[in-house]
Amino acid sequence: QLQLVESGGGLVQPGGSLRLSCAASGNNADYYAIGWFRQAPGKEREGVSCISPGSTRINYTDSVKGRFTVSRDNAKNTVYLQMNSLKPEDTAVYYCNGFLRGNVYWGQGTQVTVSS
């Protein structure tokens, strides 16, 4: 099984930056694709970004392209989401998931609030 813990959320002003971390532990942690998702109040959960094992494939949803960057540090079993030029509409609970061979694991999420 895989355990995921998100961290790095908080309150930031519009135009500011945050870096979220998704720390993975368990068997074969390096072999999971890791996705970042977010859910704002009253809205559907949406995918933000995804990174493959080895970081050979990286995807972003259109609304964050050019502003968010996902990276993977296999030595630390951690995936990062660098968020720049944050907007109020980025406010949401952000969480990561791990996918391998049909098995999906979720973290508990971290709150990101973008406000003056």
Side-chain angles (χ1 to χ4, degrees):
Q1 295 187 346
L2 187 72
Q3 292 79 47
L4 301 170
V5 179
E6 302 95 335
S7 63
L11 175 65
V12 65
Q13 295 183 1
S17 298
L18 285 173
R19 189 179 75 163
L20 306 183
S21 298
C22 175
S25 62
N27 293 334
N28 300 315
D30 290 346
Y31 292 90
Y32 285 81
I34 300 295
W36 283 99
F37 294 77
R38 65 185 181 185
Q39 188 166 22
K43 296 184 178 181
E44 296 181 344
R45 180 184 300 176
E46 65 171 336
V48 175
S49 182
C50 185
I51 186 168
S52 68
S55 304
T56 56
R57 295 178 60 193
I58 298 174
N59 300 106
Y60 303 94
T61 191
D62 287 343
S63 63
V64 308
K65 287 181 179 177
R67 300 189 298 120
F68 291 10
T69 302
V70 67
S71 61
R72 190 165 192 157
D73 186 340
N74 288 332
K76 298 180 179 180
N77 289 328
T78 300
V79 174
Y80 303 98
L81 184 66
Q82 178 68 45
M83 305 185 296
N84 299 325
S85 302
L86 283 163
K87 305 174 181 179
E89 51 263 44
D90 295 318
T91 296
V93 176
Y94 285 72
Y95 48 96
C96 60
N97 80 341
F99 177 84
L100 178 64
R101 296 177 179 177
N103 298 116
V104 181
Y105 303 92
W106 293 91
Q108 294 300 307
T110 184
Q111 176 70 49
V112 172
T113 302
V114 184
S115 176
S116 299

